[in-house]
Amino acid sequence: MIGRVHSIESCGTVDGPGIRYVIFSQGCPLRCQYCHNPDTWKAEEGEAMDSNELVKEIVKYKPYMKSSKGGLTISGGEPLLQAAFVSEIFKKVKAKGIHTCLDTSGFIPIDKIGDVLDYTDLVLLDIKSYNPKTYKKLTGVELAPTLNFAQELMQRHIPVWIRYVLVPDLTDDMKDIEELAKYLTTLKNVKRIDVLPFHKMGEFKWKELGYAYKLANTPEPSEELVEETKEMFQKYELPIYDVHINKPVSKKSKQKIQLVSSTNLKPDFVSSTIW
């Protein structure tokens, strides 16, 4: 089966557990204001690739995956725009004993994604905001499909890592964050929450593509704001992680997160967890 791929990272370490082969699919229905890879948006772009050939490449990295408890992650863009393509790859690598992870916004309706979840071991679910108005302003689409997707994952008992990007004056309202925390306590399959500080590492791409970058004057969040946000999730006994040391944050230690500065950084592709 042929799908469209933006790029590949053969030994990723930030898009799921362990060392992972990461496929970044092409195409996305969201238009997130802080998107660090807007060159993934247009579904007709990217490189046409065959699922069978990809599986052959993925299997070569199985020793690294096995030793690190890693596997395969398919991210985007939005991978569920090509659900059949993703399902074909997941099905074949699972048959070879490789762990599968889906990094998604959860926006694509359940009845449009086929059987891909039957072959999914872990989902990295991006919930941009729990406030419907903020979510629409931020992404250009509605929140409800993502929450419906979250419910489907719980019913299927598929483990989920929640990702929340913290943007000053956009997603930093503590009332909204607390409402999200309350909602997440109802999902019994949430294994981890990552608070990802906003960065501008992809701003140059917006300029190169001729897009107006609305967050040009938005600062990166302070360590104090990041800590306050993490503590809100901890208040509800949710499994908050420090994404830079890949360990759960202890209530007692209150470890401070080290922010990644965007100064002088211009990568060709910004991995989905390096905020």
Side-chain angles (χ1 to χ4, degrees), residues 29-30 78 80-81 83 104-117 141-142 144-150 152:
L30 279 66
E78 173 48 66
L80 292 180
L81 276 180
T104 177
S105 69
F107 177 71
I108 307 302
I110 301 298
D111 62 356
K112 302 294 184 183
I113 65 173
D115 62 355
V116 64
L117 294 180
V141 301
E142 302 295 334
T146 294
L147 301 184
N148 291 339
F149 186 80
E152 178 71 14

Side-chain angles (χ1 to χ4, degrees), residues 45-111:
E45 296 183 352
E47 181 181 352
M49 302 190 76
D50 182 83
S51 59
N52 289 325
E53 294 304 313
L54 280 168
V55 170
K56 289 178 183 178
E57 284 299 309
I58 294 164
V59 171
K60 294 177 182 178
Y61 294 85
K62 188 175 178 181
Y64 300 99
M65 298 172 185
K66 185 177 181 180
S67 64
S68 67
K69 298 182 180 179
L72 166 69
T73 296
I74 301 186
S75 183
E78 173 48 66
L80 292 180
L81 276 180
Q82 303 182 69
F85 178 64
V86 175
S87 179
E88 182 76 6
I89 297 172
F90 275 7
K91 182 179 181 179
K92 290 180 178 179
V93 301
K94 272 189 68 67
K96 298 180 181 296
I98 294 174
H99 180 272
T100 60
C101 176
L102 180 70
D103 182 6
T104 177
S105 69
F107 177 71
I108 307 302
I110 301 298
D111 62 356

Side-chain angles (χ1 to χ4, degrees), residues 30-252:
L30 279 66
R31 295 295 181 265
C32 299
Q33 290 185 24
Y34 54 64
C35 181
H36 44 211
N37 291 303
D39 48 340
T40 65
W41 287 354
K42 295 181 180 180
E44 68 275 12
E45 296 183 352
E47 181 181 352
M49 302 190 76
D50 182 83
S51 59
N52 289 325
E53 294 304 313
L54 280 168
V55 170
K56 289 178 183 178
E57 284 299 309
I58 294 164
V59 171
K60 294 177 182 178
Y61 294 85
K62 188 175 178 181
Y64 300 99
M65 298 172 185
K66 185 177 181 180
S67 64
S68 67
K69 298 182 180 179
L72 166 69
T73 296
I74 301 186
S75 183
E78 173 48 66
L80 292 180
L81 276 180
Q82 303 182 69
F85 178 64
V86 175
S87 179
E88 182 76 6
I89 297 172
F90 275 7
K91 182 179 181 179
K92 290 180 178 179
V93 301
K94 272 189 68 67
K96 298 180 181 296
I98 294 174
H99 180 272
T100 60
C101 176
L102 180 70
D103 182 6
T104 177
S105 69
F107 177 71
I108 307 302
I110 301 298
D111 62 356
K112 302 294 184 183
I113 65 173
D115 62 355
V116 64
L117 294 180
D118 292 343
Y119 308 107
T120 302
D121 293 317
L122 173 68
V123 172
L124 310 183
L125 182 60
D126 303 309
I127 300 183
K128 321 288 184 177
S129 173
Y130 194 66
N131 182 317
K133 290 183 179 179
T134 300
Y135 193 95
K136 181 67 179 289
K137 175 183 177 181
L138 172 60
T139 67
V141 301
E142 302 295 334
L143 169 63
T146 294
L147 301 184
N148 291 339
F149 186 80
Q151 293 297 318
E152 178 71 14
L153 296 177
M154 182 175 67
Q155 291 172 15
R156 287 173 169 262
H157 306 289
I158 298 175
V160 172
W161 291 7
I162 299 294
R163 290 172 157 185
Y164 187 79
V165 180
L166 183 62
V167 187
D169 300 320
L170 187 58
T171 65
D172 62 345
D173 185 291
M174 285 299 149
K175 291 183 180 178
D176 290 346
I177 294 170
E178 183 163 22
E179 289 304 309
L180 174 59
K182 290 178 181 177
Y183 172 71
L184 294 178
T185 64
T186 70
L187 302 178
K188 306 309 178 185
N189 56 332
V190 173
K191 304 301 180 183
R192 167 171 168 163
I193 298 172
D194 294 336
V195 175
L196 308 176
F198 163 71
H199 66 66
K200 299 180 184 178
M201 290 165 65
E203 181 178 4
F204 75 95
K205 289 190 177 184
W206 290 68
K207 294 178 180 179
E208 290 178 350
L209 293 168
Y211 299 156
Y213 189 66
K214 295 181 179 180
L215 302 181
N217 296 319
T218 300
E220 296 179 0
S222 65
E223 291 189 14
E224 291 74 19
L225 179 57
V226 175
E227 285 301 309
E228 184 181 5
T229 302
K230 288 159 57 179
E231 288 171 5
M232 181 61 76
F233 288 112
Q234 286 180 294
K235 175 182 174 181
Y236 291 89
E237 300 184 346
L238 291 163
I240 189 77
Y241 267 61
D242 185 328
V243 297
H244 297 287
I245 62 174
N246 199 31
K247 292 182 179 180
V249 175
S250 166
K251 287 184 179 180
K252 293 182 179 180

